[in-house]
Structure formats: structure tokens, C-alpha cells
Amino acid sequence: MKVYFSLGSNLGNRAELLERALTLLNQEIGNLVFRSSFYETEPWGFSSEHPFLNACCLYETELSPIEVLHKTQQIEKELGRKRKSKNKKYHDRPIDIDLLLCDDLVINTKELTIPHPLMQERKFVLEPLNEIAPDVIHPVLHISISEILNQL
């Protein structure tokens, strides 16, 4: 299965944390196929003096989407993330790993929603994702990542 992630960090050594997350994803999830450049962006959904460093990446995995989610949560904790955002209350964090797409699956459970429900609203996700996957079709919107970015 092909799994796309968005990575973000706005506390600590951001580039080092993103690199460490990429390494841990490779160890825990599967093989890294592509990764984007790092993009510096302003916080989205909250105010902070700490800008983010963001990236997207593609891994191939044999794990199920829920197993992938649990592994990413474990990696976030290992890299210093104390709590997840709740009810759209966002905050500074050393690492954030969001599961964006899993092949062309559509999953909507209490624990996991695929594709990520806010990805089409987030330029900080779409720009790096467009770098590595411009022609990938969003399984709900039925348009390419590049088209979504152009519409934003």
C-alpha cells in the first residue's frame, strides 16, 4: 500500500526532528519512496511566534491504515509530542505526523479518517505533496493534488 504523510515541526531543531521522523517511519512503516523539500510556513489554525517546517513523503507498507496510524502516534511520542490537537485547538509541537492518503482508500471511523479531512484546505500540506505527487487523484474530490492546490 502507498501511504502519504505530512510532517511538521515548530519547536526544537525542526529539520533534525523531520529527518528523525523520516528515519523512524522507514524503520516502523516501510520503505521511503519519495520525500519533498522542507517548506517553512506560518502556523495554521493558531497564533505562534514559531514558524513550522513542513514536508510530505510517500512510503510503501504492508501495514493496515490503522496500524500505520498507531505507529505514527508512537513515533510522535518518541520525538517529544505530548498531546494531540483536540477540537481544532492547535498548539506548538516538536513533531506532527498526519496520514493523508492510503492508496485510494476512503475510511471514516472515530479513530481514523482517510483521506485527511483538512488536507485540501492546507497550503502547507498541498505544496510539498504537489512536489512529490502532483498527479495523484484525491479519492473523494476526484481531482489531482495539483488541481486542488491551484484551486486553493
Side-chain angles (χ1 to χ4, degrees), residues 92-150:
D92 292 323
R93 49 206 173 269
I95 193 70
D96 186 30
I97 304 171
D98 284 339
L99 184 50
L100 301 176
L101 300 163
C102 295
D103 285 338
D104 58 356
L105 297 176
V106 177
I107 301 169
N108 195 355
T109 67
K110 186 176 180 181
E111 191 173 12
L112 179 63
T113 303
I114 300 292
H116 190 287
L118 298 175
M119 66 182 277
Q120 66 273 7
E121 300 174 20
R122 296 174 168 178
K123 191 173 183 182
F124 69 88
V125 170
L126 293 171
E127 283 186 333
L129 185 59
N130 187 61
E131 181 183 328
I132 64 169
D135 299 324
V136 167
I137 303 296
H138 189 288
V140 172
L141 302 177
H142 306 291
I143 58 175
S144 71
I145 299 305
S146 64
E147 290 173 286
I148 298 169
L149 178 59
N150 287 336

Side-chain angles (χ1 to χ4, degrees), residues 66-106:
I66 199 69
E67 289 171 318
V68 169
L69 175 67
H70 292 157
K71 294 278 189 185
T72 61
Q73 291 170 338
Q74 179 183 336
I75 291 167
E76 286 177 331
K77 285 180 188 168
E78 186 173 330
L79 294 178
R81 179 116 188 227
K82 304 260 188 277
R83 60 191 166 106
K84 291 295 277 183
S85 302
K86 298 264 190 210
N87 300 319
K88 297 190 179 185
K89 300 247 189 225
Y90 302 110
H91 50 82
D92 292 323
R93 49 206 173 269
I95 193 70
D96 186 30
I97 304 171
D98 284 339
L99 184 50
L100 301 176
L101 300 163
C102 295
D103 285 338
D104 58 356
L105 297 176
V106 177

Side-chain angles (χ1 to χ4, degrees), residues 27-65:
Q27 292 170 2
E28 298 293 329
I29 304 293
N31 294 320
L32 176 64
V33 178
F34 294 114
R35 63 170 267 199
S36 73
S37 305
F38 292 166
Y39 292 72
E40 188 165 271
T41 63
E42 292 301 311
W44 185 91
F46 73 106
S47 295
S48 173
E49 62 190 38
H50 306 289
F52 273 85
L53 209 55
N54 295 100
C56 284
C57 50
L58 166 62
Y59 285 80
E60 287 187 348
T61 186
E62 300 296 321
L63 301 176
S64 71

